[in-house]
Amino acid sequence: QLQLVESGGALVQPGMSLTLSCKGSGFTWGYAAIGWFRQAPGKEREGVSCVDRVGGSKFYEDSVKGRFAISRDVAGNTVWLQMNSLIPEDTGVYYCAAYHTSYHGCSLANTNRFTSWGQGTQVTVSS
């Protein structure tokens, strides 16, 4: 399995920006689609965004569309989630996760297909 480590979580004020990173290791990294999920207190975990194994296909949930941007570096070993215009509803523990695939594209529809998960990083948006 891939080893995933998230970083970048912090306490920020509404309207500010924050960038999370997810770094992976393992020989299958180049065949892994990466997703970002978040879980707010008392709520179910929800998908936020994903990027395919080559960085050419991206998906965003409606709640973050236009505010968040996912990207993958040239080597494909790091995925970032740039979060802009943050609102209190963005508060939660953010997780990156991966599933192995030989195809392009990504999907958040089936959470169970993500077989590798990071430990999570806390994002708090508050004044």
Side-chain angles (χ1 to χ4, degrees):
Q1 291 187 326
L2 296 171
Q3 302 294 316
L4 304 175
V5 179
E6 308 98 330
S7 64
L11 170 64
V12 298
Q13 297 183 145
M16 298 298 290
S17 297
L18 192 64
T19 300
L20 307 180
S21 66
C22 173
K23 294 188 176 183
S25 61
F27 293 111
T28 59
W29 176 254
Y31 293 90
I34 306 297
W36 282 99
F37 299 81
R38 67 186 181 188
Q39 186 167 23
K43 297 183 179 180
E44 296 182 354
R45 183 175 60 194
E46 64 175 350
V48 176
S49 181
C50 67
V51 60
D52 73 358
R53 71 181 187 88
V54 297
S57 181
K58 304 172 183 178
F59 173 81
Y60 302 94
E61 287 292 324
D62 289 341
S63 62
V64 305
K65 193 174 300 181
R67 298 190 299 118
F68 290 11
I70 192 169
S71 61
R72 192 165 191 167
D73 70 12
V74 176
N77 64 326
T78 303
V79 173
W80 294 272
L81 184 67
Q82 175 68 48
M83 305 183 293
N84 301 312
S85 301
L86 285 163
I87 58 177
E89 289 75 16
D90 293 320
T91 294
V93 178
Y94 283 68
Y95 302 89
C96 67
Y99 66 86
H100 179 82
T101 179
S102 61
Y103 299 100
H104 298 341
C106 71
S107 175
L108 297 170
N110 183 9
T111 303
N112 291 332
R113 77 182 302 181
F114 290 87
T115 57
S116 298
W117 291 80
Q119 294 299 306
T121 184
Q122 178 70 45
V123 174
T124 302
V125 185
S126 176
S127 61

